[in-house]
Amino acid sequence: MTRTKQYAVAASGQWTDEEEGRRRLPSGEVHAWDPGRNETVCGLSLHRSRLVRFPHIGWQDTFPESGGAADRVRRQCPRCASVAGRRGPDARPRWRRIDPRP
C-alpha cells in the first residue's frame, strides 16, 4: 500500500481573504513545496526566488475545480504539477506500459 505524499504550496504572491476570517491565500504562480525543505519540488530556492510559503494549504487546493485557495492563482508550475499530481481538463493521463517487451 503506497502512501501519496502531501505537498504544501509556495507562491509568488499572497492575498488575505476577508470573508474567511483574514486567511492568507496564494496568488500568482504556485509551486509544490515539501515542508521542511528550502526548495520547491521543481528545484527553485524559496529564498532566492522570493516565494511565500503556505504550509496550511495543500497542493490539491490550488486547482480551480477544488474550490479551495485557487481564486487568484494565475499559473501552476508544470514541473511541480508533473511530480505532485495534476488534475483538470488539460491533464494528461498517467503513463503506463501496455505491451511490455519480453
Side-chain angles (χ1 to χ4, degrees):
M1 183 163 96
T2 61
R3 189 174 144 198
T4 60
K5 196 164 195 172
Q6 298 294 323
Y7 293 102
V9 175
S12 60
Q14 70 178 352
W15 67 286
T16 305
D17 189 10
E18 300 293 334
E19 294 175 1
E20 291 189 27
R22 300 188 50 85
R23 184 176 171 206
R24 282 186 330 123
L25 296 172
S27 66
E29 182 175 356
V30 294
H31 296 267
W33 167 57
D34 189 14
R37 299 190 52 130
N38 192 28
E39 64 181 10
T40 62
V41 174
C42 65
L44 289 177
S45 170
L46 294 174
H47 180 71
R48 288 185 183 190
S49 301
R50 296 186 179 172
L51 295 174
V52 182
R53 298 171 177 100
F54 296 92
H56 59 283
I57 296 178
W59 173 252
Q60 300 300 326
D61 290 337
T62 62
F63 292 99
E65 63 271 4
S66 72
D71 292 341
R72 295 194 185 171
V73 171
R74 298 267 187 236
R75 180 177 183 266
Q76 291 176 333
C77 173
R79 292 185 292 176
C80 290
S82 69
V83 173
R86 186 185 327 201
R87 295 186 326 194
D90 62 336
R92 291 183 289 184
R94 289 188 176 261
W95 182 87
R96 65 172 231 238
R97 186 180 297 265
I98 305 286
D99 189 16
R101 294 186 340 194

